[in-house]
Amino acid sequence: MTTPVIRTLDPSSAHLFHDLPDPLGLSERHRTTHFRPDWRRVALRDGRPVARAAWWARAEDPAPLVINWFDVAEGEEAAGAELLRTAPWTTPELELDLPPGWRDDPALAAAVATRTAAARLAGYEPLVERFIYRWTPDLGLPEQPGRLEFTPEPDDEVFLDALRRIHSVTLDAHARRAIEKGGVELAAREELDFFHWCPSPREWWRVARTPEGEIAGIHVPARNPSGPCVGFIGVVPGQRGHGYAYDLLADCTRFLAAEGADFIAAATDQGNFPMAAHFTTAGYPVVRERVNFWADGAPAG
């Protein structure tokens, strides 16, 4: 067997990226995603692609933030790992988007196992499995219980304080990873940095208060580079147990719909059973699943 050739693509060779079977349906998943040609790489064996990966960020970002397309032909796990290991960028996160219920399909499960093995060979380990949602206006607006008052808040410190409280007790795997690395402060600041990274207006962020004026939580209606999304939903610990996360989600949905959103993307960890239930109640269908992988430091060389 010949040694694979790793190639970073350019406009003249971009077609090579699509010369590989697509059992996970990633071509349709990323139909509207913009990838820079030079942030896409393939592993070629005898001139034929046997693995591919695409790195992604905003067009104005100087370096990619995440690998969100990774495909490996069966039996080519080593080539897939080499493709990731030799990348000129250090990207700690890899996303593997999957059809809903993929575990029930033996062919899909085998394809996921191949890609997981390749990612692990490159130093990435599974962090969390997530549900990916997509609301559209034909599904109807969720009912708003009217128990909380939602207002804009220009002071970042108010949001940062709320994030510290929310992440002090959290089910979110990304926040827990940040807490293990740098405490609740790091988790809160990473979240705030993400809010600012989104190209949507800062004025959209909302604080939710009880009739007594106490902060119950926050939500961030947002737009990421792909379109409208639920940027964040969080209830502070002292206000949990009332189902307020649904109120936050309903208000966030109605806010974005009023801004003209023709769809709203959202996601939550599969282990966050309360939030997943709220998405179901609010009328958000699961359209994909996702396994998030993480590599602390550079991928294994």
Side-chain angles (χ1 to χ4, degrees), residues 93-95 125-128 130 174 290-294:
E93 190 159 24
L94 184 156
E95 298 175 346
E125 289 295 330
L127 174 67
V128 66
R130 311 198 84 203
H174 285 82
R290 176 180 293 159
V291 181
N292 288 77
F293 294 80
W294 197 272

Side-chain angles (χ1 to χ4, degrees), residues 135 137 141-142 200-201 204-206 219-224 227-233 248-266 279 284:
W135 176 90
L141 289 169
S200 42
W204 285 9
W205 307 4
R206 289 296 185 265
H219 76 76
V220 178
R223 287 184 182 272
N224 63 27
C229 65
V230 177
F232 186 82
I233 301 287
L248 296 168
L249 176 59
D251 193 74
C252 188
T253 304
R254 298 173 78 91
F255 182 97
L256 287 169
E259 291 291 329
D262 56 3
F263 73 89
I264 301 172
F279 274 111
Y284 278 72

